[in-house]
Amino acid sequence: MPLVHMKDMLNHAHEHHYAVGAFDLVSLDFLEGILAAAERCRGPVILSLAESHFGYFDFELLISAVEAAARRASVPVAIHLDHGANLKSAVSAINRGCNGVMVDASDQPFDENLRLTREVVTVAHSCGVPVEGELGYVPGVEGEDAERHPGEIAYTTVGEAKTYVEKTGVDFLAVSIGTVHGRLRGEPKLDYRRLQQINEALGIPLVVHGGTGLSDDQFRHLIANGVAKINYYTALADAAAAMIRENARENRNGGYTGLVRGVQDAVAEEADPCMRLWGSAGRATEVLAECAPWLPVELLIVYNVAGLDAAGVQAMMAEGRRVLGVIPGVRQVATGEAVTAGADYRYSWLARFCHPAVIDSYRDHPAHVAFAGQHFRPVAGDRLTIDYQEIEAGNQNRRGIA
Ligand SMILES: [Zn+2]
């Protein structure tokens, strides 16, 4: 069950004046290191995948591992798409297992940012998934120096933030108040007054990108003024790289496993003090008790077919898998045929939805309406349809709560 609603998780943090770390991960070593730190700290954590990193790993493969790790964790976890470019990115992330998405149209003019973000919010909410928007410009790209992606910081203004949140319906807002992505030269000057005003005007969890390099005191001020999610990557990547360099120096003939030895621990060592400083450490039990679990729903249909031959049934199923599998919130569509010849119902559909909200949005989706009306219902009059919500998914594999 440790997958929980990210909205509940961040609202809890916002109300109780602490922040949850959203750590971008780029490999299994990062995943295991971040989760090891969260388990050790007994804190909620956000496992974050940044679209700008998708060239370094296969998103579909890595997120399967992220989901498996989250389900066997004993601390509350959310899985987030960081800096999604557009609606397509958001839907792909949701259908592959993210239960929070960020849409970053902050490089667009205000009205266009509004329109693009609103579009993502409508679809994501129809899947039960909360959305993080961004307003203003935080220079740089995850893990790369802001110097390489220059541009003036564009500070988020209170008035625009209010309009943006009202018009788009975003659940969390990433603000630009003086941080930059990547490594920083010199001390960043953070505009706490502006942050405080935004927090008072919006009352929703705020997000800071570019957490690397801030002082303990700066983090405390950010959290005291409504920041409930802190994106953190560069320092983890630096710690991992330092470990690899040390391995290379000490063991010149070592192979790959010799080079990456200790990387997990280095990542955990970097994430651990963040969780303690930001106040998420020790909150796992109350978050699990107070936040809704993130549980999928399965739509099961068993049916008999009249008026189609075997090839026709195969073609109908293939069409269904093709058009229904890409509806937002649909994790999987599986079709089956009874193993025993005399079964009461010969065929089955199993559609797996990320969240109960998808029961309605799937039923009303034009692709489903068209397929059901033209291809399925006319030949499958004899059928049973039932939606099931998973009970404590993956609980049997869960590590004992320490
Ligand atoms: Zn960012």
Side-chain angles (χ1 to χ4, degrees):
M1 193 277 272
L3 269 175
V4 301
H5 267 273
M6 196 169 135
K7 184 163 179 166
D8 283 4
M9 183 194 270
L10 290 185
N11 282 341
H12 186 273
H14 194 238
E15 275 166 32
H16 294 84
H17 308 290
Y18 68 94
V20 181
F23 300 94
D24 283 325
L25 56 95
V26 291
S27 73
L28 291 181
D29 280 333
F30 277 66
L31 170 61
E32 290 177 68
I34 294 160
L35 270 178
E39 295 273 359
R40 209 153 66 199
C41 292
R42 305 298 314 147
V45 67
I46 296 171
L47 301 172
S48 185
L49 294 133
E51 195 165 356
S52 60
H53 290 153
F54 285 8
Y56 301 110
F57 53 78
D58 183 316
F59 175 58
E60 200 167 344
L61 290 183
L62 189 54
I63 196 170
S64 298
V66 170
E67 197 175 15
R71 287 190 181 282
R72 73 175 192 193
S74 70
V75 294
V77 176
I79 305 174
H80 187 62
L81 172 71
D82 191 20
H83 290 281
N86 50 42
L87 181 62
K88 199 167 159 236
S89 313
V91 170
S92 155
I94 290 168
N95 287 9
R96 283 170 178 75
C98 286
N99 67 344
V101 293
M102 179 197 187
V103 55
D104 181 3
S106 61
D107 58 335
Q108 302 287 321
F110 184 67
D111 285 344
E112 187 60 7
N113 186 356
L114 268 186
R115 195 187 63 74
L116 290 168
T117 306
R118 175 72 228 157
E119 196 177 57
V120 171
V121 169
T122 302
V123 174
H125 282 183
S126 79
C127 303
V129 173
V131 177
E132 172 185 340
E134 178 167 335
L135 202 56
Y137 175 65
V138 177
V141 172
E142 283 58 43
E144 297 183 16
D145 295 355
E147 282 84 348
R148 289 176 55 192
H149 298 267
E152 283 292 295
I153 296 178
Y155 286 85
T156 308
T157 68
V158 182
E160 280 193 343
K162 208 163 160 22
T163 308
Y164 177 82
V165 170
E166 280 167 8
K167 294 225 161 128
T168 60
V170 292
D171 305 274
F172 329 116
L173 183 68
V175 292
S176 173
I177 49 114
T179 59
V180 301
H181 285 114
R183 291 167 211 89
L184 200 68
R185 310 229 192 288
E187 172 101 343
K189 295 213 181 349
L190 304 184
D191 191 339
Y192 301 123
R193 175 105 187 92
R194 183 187 294 268
L195 182 63
Q196 186 194 359
Q197 288 169 344
I198 295 170
N199 188 38
E200 279 165 10
L202 303 185
I204 63 170
L206 302 178
V207 182
V208 158
H209 288 234
T212 295
L214 300 182
S215 69
D216 291 7
D217 201 48
Q218 286 176 317
F219 279 125
R220 284 192 203 99
H221 274 90
L222 292 174
I223 294 165
N225 288 296
V227 169
K229 171 175 178 277
I230 295 171
N231 280 37
Y232 200 81
Y233 168 70
T234 304
L236 300 187
D238 286 352
M243 190 72 236
I244 291 169
R245 275 190 217 100
E246 191 184 318
N247 288 336
R249 263 197 313 273
E250 288 179 2
N251 181 11
R252 291 190 176 279
N253 300 316
Y256 173 78
T257 51
L259 283 175
V260 296
R261 187 171 297 143
V263 166
Q264 271 181 38
D265 290 340
V267 169
E269 288 305 314
E270 182 60 39
D272 181 303
C274 294
M275 295 174 187
R276 296 178 198 280
L277 174 64
W278 302 341
S280 62
R283 297 277 187 174
T285 306
E286 60 186 290
V287 169
L288 282 174
E290 292 170 38
C291 298
W294 183 261
L295 295 174
V297 165
E298 279 158 6
L299 162 65
L300 178 65
I301 305 176
V302 290
Y303 62 102
N304 287 312
V305 170
L308 276 186
D309 61 10
V313 174
Q314 293 301 325
M316 184 267 290
M317 285 179 167
E319 175 67 3
R321 288 193 303 269
R322 189 180 71 79
V323 299
L324 305 176
V326 295
I327 292 175
V330 175
R331 301 289 316 272
Q332 189 196 358
V333 176
T335 49
E337 182 169 359
V339 176
T340 32
D344 288 347
Y345 294 96
R346 187 158 175 202
Y347 300 107
S348 69
W349 284 107
L350 181 68
R352 203 150 175 266
F353 301 152
C354 70
H355 181 270
V358 183
I359 294 172
D360 291 337
S361 58
Y362 173 86
R363 187 192 51 228
D364 300 337
H365 193 281
H368 174 258
V369 172
F371 175 77
Q374 290 161 26
H375 299 283
F376 184 64
R377 289 197 187 113
V379 299
D382 179 21
R383 65 178 187 271
L384 282 178
T385 303
I386 307 176
D387 295 304
Y388 292 93
Q389 180 157 33
E390 241 179 63
I391 299 168
E392 288 281 301
N395 197 27
Q396 67 278 11
N397 297 323
R398 206 164 145 186
R399 290 173 184 159
I401 292 179

